[in-house]
Amino acid sequence: MTELYPRYLDKLYRGDRLAESDDPLPYRNYVWCRIMTALVLAVLFPIYLLYRDTLTIGEYVWFAATIAVPIAMVLLLRVAHQLFTVRMIGALLITALVAFGCWGTGGLTSFMMPLFLYVLLEEVVAGVRRGIALTAAMVLVAAVILGLAGGNGLLPASVVPEGQAASLFLVALVLMGLNIVIVAHAVTGIGAIREHETAATQSRYRELFQQAPIAIWEEDWSKARAEIERLRDGGINDFDLYFKLNPELVKQIANDVEIIDFNEQTVDLYRAPSREAFRAMAEIDFRTEDEEVAFRDTLTSFAAGENSFFGEVWEQTYDKQQICVRNTAFIPDVYRNDWGRVIHALEDITEGKVAVEALRDAKLRAEQANEAKSQFIANMSHELRTPLNAIIGFSELLQSDMGINFDHERVREYAGDINVSGKHLLDLINDILDFARIESGRMTIHRSLIDLEEVITWAVTLARQSAIDRSIEIEVTCDPHLPQFMADERGLRQVLLNLLTNAVKFIDRKSGGLVKVNASHTVETIIITVSDNGIGIPKDKIGTVMEPFGQADSTLARRHEGAGLGLAITRSLIDLHDGEITIESEVGVGTTVTVRLPVALNADNIVDVA
């Protein structure tokens, strides 16, 4: 019967208003109790008839009610779906029916008195304290009325002979006992059905959990919840600020979080070779700084009363790769009070994130290039006009009638100005052409065996006159036994000359100007440093001066000439040599530029690089 119960008897109480999420077990228990009550009363009524020759109309009504009331309660439950209310109405009506039966069969000594206990036991099985109290009150009132009526001689004579009352009482007890056993068996069977349904639900959940297309990770945060309550009791309210000031506490709380379960997609997401390997990796808290920030933000959100948190975090996989994960963490409603279960739904968005960042970088570079182009055009307009105006102006003077009257010295002076302006203009054009060749990939370097001291001497010789004119001293220090190495001689000469020229240009001292050139080496590297005690470069401008057309002072009123390509060309030439360049500078103190080039001692290493 237990197996058939859901198929047939569920229809008695199920209606359109019963939600699928409602627990059917209490409804099923009540239906069983009502059916059993009707059967017990139906069995007891024929026994009652054995002692009555003629029935009154009231007794006929009572007999019909014993059958109709339990069924009516089940039907009422189908319509109302207010289980507690229907149960209390049923308890009241059945208590009245039992009291009516006891009224004509001996009052408190009636063989039907055990049915009062049965009505009370139904509510005990239901387990609702309010229902037990109300039902107990009904039974007590009925018993008191029967007792008072019997004590005052108001009860009619019992239809049951005194000698047979005890036997009938025993029969009633047996019937009630059988009823209780049947109901208990039904409840146990329904419980088994419920356990089976629960197991089936859990099995479906496990299957969905494992086959989900995204990674799902479950954790126990109950200890974190306890720590939050401890802090709150201690007067902490601003958890965001508190956790930022106490990072060690955040790490401790993270260490207390326990992994409950995870699906195979999680193992795949983090590229772990096995579940055990992933669990071992996951137990290491905060493999990246981003993970620590994400955990702290999630903890702060939960502490503020939120039951979910959404964020994007860069994490490290088992094979030390960086991935960007979209993490939706939430606490199921049933665990809101203790945080015993926190579920993370994880999605790999690395590809999209990288694409977005690439677009953002490209947009930024395009904006910077456009800004540099505009600045370059403005600067070059100034740089080109100055020497061109000098060339045109002095040449026009020499061509004019006034030029006939110029003495030889004046002509030499004007010719010298024209020559200087022309050379400056040529230098500008050469820088632009060299940079264009480098940027287009048409610049080639031809490695040969280089004597670094000789190259440094050449560059210092060219820069010395400008230094002397500005009262600047150039000091050169080279390691003894400096090895020869493979490099492009023309490119290396241009690198050193650019660095020396810049150093001399940006010393604004009336006296005490100093430029130091140092060459040293390790087993694998040639190290060249050029330092000065000039005006220095602001820290936020060091990256700018390395870019094409970048200048620390980009205004038209700047004190130093140039297109801003010297360091950009220098860096490109060093890159072609597989070297690196770094700049250290402090405003008002000076600048140090360090160049590191790889050592290649064998002629076999000569390579043309396009």
Side-chain angles (χ1 to χ4, degrees):
M1 180 178 292
T2 303
E3 295 178 355
L4 296 177
Y5 179 92
R7 184 180 303 173
Y8 296 105
L9 298 185
D10 276 2
K11 297 180 180 179
L12 292 176
Y13 71 87
R14 279 193 179 275
D16 294 338
R17 294 176 58 189
L18 184 62
E20 289 295 330
S21 59
D22 288 347
D23 186 357
L25 186 57
Y27 291 85
R28 291 173 173 175
N29 288 344
Y30 184 74
V31 171
W32 271 106
C33 290
R34 290 287 70 81
I35 292 175
M36 291 299 103
T37 301
L39 290 176
V40 169
L41 294 175
V43 170
L44 289 176
F45 189 73
I47 299 174
Y48 179 80
L49 290 178
L50 294 176
Y51 302 96
R52 296 287 289 163
D53 295 331
T54 305
L55 295 178
T56 64
I57 295 177
E59 289 172 321
Y60 278 116
V61 172
W62 175 76
F63 172 69
T66 58
I67 304 300
V69 166
I71 302 302
M73 292 300 98
V74 174
L75 296 178
L76 179 61
L77 180 62
R78 177 180 176 84
V79 175
H81 290 299
Q82 299 294 325
L83 181 59
F84 180 78
T85 301
V86 172
R87 199 167 60 235
M88 289 300 98
I89 294 173
L92 177 62
L93 293 177
I94 294 173
T95 299
L97 289 175
V98 173
F100 183 83
C102 292
W103 184 274
T105 57
L108 293 179
T109 62
S110 171
F111 70 93
M112 299 184 69
M113 280 297 293
L115 293 180
F116 281 126
L117 180 61
Y118 175 71
V119 174
L120 184 59
L121 284 175
E122 287 185 7
E123 293 307 316
V124 173
V125 171
V128 180
R129 293 181 180 179
R130 186 173 47 159
I132 295 172
L134 289 175
T135 304
M138 296 176 195
V139 171
L140 180 60
V141 169
V144 169
I145 292 174
L146 290 174
L148 291 175
N152 291 295
L154 300 177
L155 292 177
S158 175
V159 298
V160 180
E162 289 186 18
Q164 298 179 12
S167 299
L168 292 175
F169 185 81
L170 181 61
V171 171
L173 282 177
V174 171
L175 288 173
M176 186 184 72
L178 289 173
N179 191 19
I180 291 174
V181 170
I182 293 172
V183 171
H185 176 69
V187 170
T188 303
I190 294 169
I193 292 172
R194 184 178 182 183
E195 290 178 1
H196 175 74
E197 292 175 346
T198 301
T201 301
Q202 291 177 343
S203 178
R204 288 194 298 270
Y205 165 75
R206 291 297 308 166
E207 184 176 355
L208 290 172
F209 177 78
Q210 291 297 339
Q211 300 301 324
I214 63 173
I216 301 177
W217 186 345
E218 297 178 326
E219 295 176 328
D220 181 355
W221 284 44
S222 55
K223 293 181 180 178
R225 169 73 175 187
E227 183 65 22
I228 291 294
E229 291 305 315
R230 185 187 69 81
L231 293 174
R232 187 174 280 118
D233 292 341
I236 303 300
N237 294 315
D238 190 346
F239 287 101
D240 183 36
L241 177 61
Y242 187 80
F243 288 145
K244 288 179 180 178
L245 295 177
N246 297 274
E248 292 303 318
L249 177 60
V250 175
K251 293 181 180 178
Q252 175 187 329
I253 294 175
N255 191 55
D256 289 336
V257 171
E258 298 178 5
I259 300 174
I260 298 175
D261 200 3
F262 47 86
N263 63 359
E264 293 301 324
Q265 287 291 339
T266 306
V267 179
D268 294 341
L269 174 63
Y270 289 93
R271 303 171 188 172
S274 64
R275 292 179 63 86
E276 293 74 17
F278 170 75
R279 184 178 289 275
M281 180 198 75
E283 289 175 352
I284 302 174
D285 297 317
F286 307 149
R287 297 179 299 280
T288 67
E289 182 179 350
D290 212 22
E291 289 182 35
E292 181 177 358
V293 173
F295 179 83
R296 186 186 66 209
D297 291 346
T298 304
L299 185 62
T300 302
S301 178
F302 288 167
E306 301 292 333
N307 69 331
S308 62
F309 178 80
F310 171 83
E312 296 178 356
V313 55
W314 283 94
E315 296 191 357
Q316 183 173 286
T317 62
Y318 187 85
D319 56 358
K320 309 300 183 183
Q321 299 298 315
Q322 296 292 317
I323 59 172
C324 188
V325 174
R326 178 182 290 124
N327 179 12
T328 302
F330 65 94
I331 307 172
D333 290 340
V334 70
Y335 295 100
R336 288 291 302 270
N337 294 328
D338 62 1
W339 298 5
R341 181 72 58 86
V342 174
I343 300 177
H344 299 268
L346 309 171
E347 183 181 359
D348 186 358
I349 59 171
T350 306
E351 185 176 346
K353 195 72 173 178
V354 170
V356 169
E357 291 184 357
L359 288 174
R360 186 184 296 115
D361 291 343
K363 180 176 180 293
L364 179 61
R365 286 195 299 270
E367 291 174 349
Q368 291 174 340
N370 186 60
E371 182 180 354
K373 181 189 70 174
S374 300
Q375 190 66 51
F376 168 71
I377 292 173
N379 290 343
M380 290 308 296
S381 174
H382 171 77
E383 291 291 342
L384 294 174
R385 282 176 179 173
T386 300
L388 284 174
N389 285 337
I391 293 171
I392 294 172
F394 288 124
S395 61
E396 285 180 347
L397 281 175
L398 293 174
Q399 288 178 333
S400 66
D401 293 338
M402 296 177 58
I404 300 174
N405 300 322
F406 287 160
D407 57 27
H408 184 68
E409 289 300 321
R410 180 64 60 85
V411 171
R412 285 175 58 87
E413 178 184 349
Y414 287 169
D417 290 337
I418 292 173
N419 181 264
V420 170
S421 298
K423 286 182 178 180
H424 175 60
L425 186 59
L426 180 62
D427 289 340
L428 291 175
I429 303 270
N430 283 336
D431 282 349
I432 296 172
L433 293 176
D434 285 344
F435 182 74
R437 289 172 60 203
I438 293 172
E439 287 294 291
S440 65
R442 290 184 286 110
M443 169 70 79
T444 60
I445 64 172
H446 304 280
R447 297 179 191 267
S448 60
L449 207 57
I450 298 298
D451 184 336
L452 183 58
E453 286 192 62
E454 181 182 329
V455 174
I456 292 176
T457 301
W458 175 86
V460 169
T461 301
L462 291 185
R464 192 177 297 280
Q465 186 58 49
S466 177
I468 293 173
D469 293 343
R470 304 182 64 182
S471 301
I472 296 172
E473 184 179 353
I474 300 177
E475 291 184 0
V476 178
T477 305
C478 294
D479 282 0
H481 310 296
L482 195 66
Q484 294 183 332
F485 65 102
M486 305 303 298
D488 179 79
E489 183 174 357
R490 177 178 174 277
L492 188 59
R493 287 175 182 269
Q494 186 169 0
V495 166
L496 285 168
L497 184 59
N498 285 348
L499 295 180
L500 282 169
T501 303
N502 268 1
V504 171
K505 181 193 301 185
F506 292 103
I507 294 179
D508 285 354
R509 293 176 180 268
K510 293 182 179 179
S511 62
L514 178 63
V515 175
K516 294 181 179 181
V517 181
N518 178 268
S520 60
H521 71 97
T522 65
V523 176
E524 300 178 346
T525 308
I526 295 292
I527 304 171
I528 306 168
T529 60
V530 178
S531 60
D532 63 68
N533 59 352
I535 61 176
I537 305 171
K539 292 189 181 300
D540 62 337
K541 295 291 186 179
I542 290 178
T544 301
V545 299
M546 299 287 287
E547 297 297 325
F549 315 115
Q551 296 179 338
D553 181 5
S554 60
T555 62
L556 294 180
R558 66 187 186 281
R559 292 170 293 176
H560 306 286
E561 299 176 340
L565 290 173
L567 283 177
I569 293 172
T570 299
R571 187 184 68 176
S572 298
L573 289 170
I574 293 171
D575 288 343
L576 290 174
H577 283 82
D578 298 322
E580 65 175 8
I581 179 172
T582 57
I583 298 178
E584 297 178 1
S585 185
E586 185 176 347
V587 175
V589 176
T591 301
T592 298
V593 181
T594 303
V595 175
R596 291 179 173 84
L597 298 172
V599 174
L601 299 179
N602 300 323
D604 295 339
N605 293 328
I606 300 177
V607 178
D608 287 345
V609 181

